[in-house]
Amino acid sequence: MKTIFGPINSRRFGSSLGIDLSPALKQCNFDCLYCELAPAVTVDAQENVVSVEQIINELKGHLDEKIDVITITANGEPTLYPHLDELIDAINQIKNNTQTLILTNSAMLVDERVFNALLKLDQVKLSLDAISNDIFNKIDRPHKDIRVEEVVKKVQEFSKIFTGKLFIEILFVHGLNDTKEEIAKLNHALLGINATRIDLGTIDRPPAYNVAGISYKELHEAALLFDRELPIHIASRIHAEPNYAKYNEEEILNTLDKRPLTMDDIDILFDKPSKERLKNLIKEQKIIKKRVGNLEFLLPATNARRKRTK
Ligand code: SF4
């Protein structure tokens, strides 16, 4: 299976070429309520492992595209990939001026090898949804040995020595981490983290479980509860720049499988012929529409049919 997808126009990171370190199945040490992927049993190691050679060979074929950032991600948690350090070294040798980024749930920072490997990237996005044990366990549903207090300590330590751009992401789930008490705890922890930007977001894509996000107004009110010195940002869709790239049918299905998109996203991402291909896929019911709040997402029919594995 292919490991490279996109480029997609990321709301926050620009034109991003994705590397999926778990293309065949979801492998994650969390089972977040808000996950865009179907729920799955948590794991603490990958069983299905792609070779570094395969990833680098695929990546070489895409490096002449117009991209701002090579994003290491996964159908699950990318830091569970056992050859991460070797892979980052290999990417750094061929990437030229393109930035590198990883999107991680932070839990594997407690592993020294992962901690040190991430230091070699240009940008790191760490998620931190809650500080209280019970709220963290409810939202992120981590693998049994993960302790939030250890993770927070490592995030703080990492931020002090990382020389690249560090983004922290907090995703608010209605009725769980959106209380004044939890926001005060998050604020306290964030004051010990040197972050380039702290993105506050909420559920805006079809979630794994039946949970709701908070409104833009509530997000704004939450943002006001954090210390003014913190670089708080409300993650929003309005800054995306047009890309107009060509996608064949397989690339459309692959891209939407990784990340359901709205028609507004498609408008700025796809060129005209690619939009026609997408229309045909919708007609053939290979792509379906799913509504979340006031946004309608496109995703492959096969993705919507995926069943829980526990
Ligand atoms: S949101 Fe990320 S960390 Fe959470 S279950 Fe999904 S893939 Fe894992």
Side-chain angles (χ1 to χ4, degrees), residues 117-134:
L118 265 50
L119 289 173
K120 300 180 200 173
L121 294 164
D122 299 311
Q123 304 180 24
V124 171
K125 195 278 292 178
L126 301 172
S127 287
L128 195 61
D129 293 326
I131 304 299
S132 307
N133 242 310
D134 56 335

Side-chain angles (χ1 to χ4, degrees), residues 136-174:
F136 173 72
N137 288 339
K138 275 185 197 154
I139 297 179
D140 294 340
R141 303 163 46 82
H143 199 67
K144 58 180 166 43
D145 302 323
I146 298 171
R147 301 278 168 268
V148 68
E149 58 277 12
E150 289 171 16
V151 176
V152 173
K153 231 172 91 190
K154 281 293 167 188
V155 170
Q156 291 176 331
E157 196 183 320
F158 184 83
S159 80
K160 305 276 160 55
I161 50 176
F162 181 55
T163 54
K165 288 185 184 162
L166 179 69
F167 304 101
I168 302 290
E169 179 174 47
I170 301 168
L171 200 135
F172 286 103
V173 179
H174 177 70

Side-chain angles (χ1 to χ4, degrees), residues 26 28 30-32 34-35 76 105:
K26 180 172 174 179
C28 195
F30 284 9
D31 181 25
C32 301
Y34 58 75
C35 187
N105 64 21

Side-chain angles (χ1 to χ4, degrees), residues 288-301:
I288 57 155
K289 294 176 181 172
K290 189 167 177 180
R291 185 161 274 280
V292 179
N294 56 353
L295 292 172
E296 201 171 53
F297 288 85
L298 298 163
L299 66 162

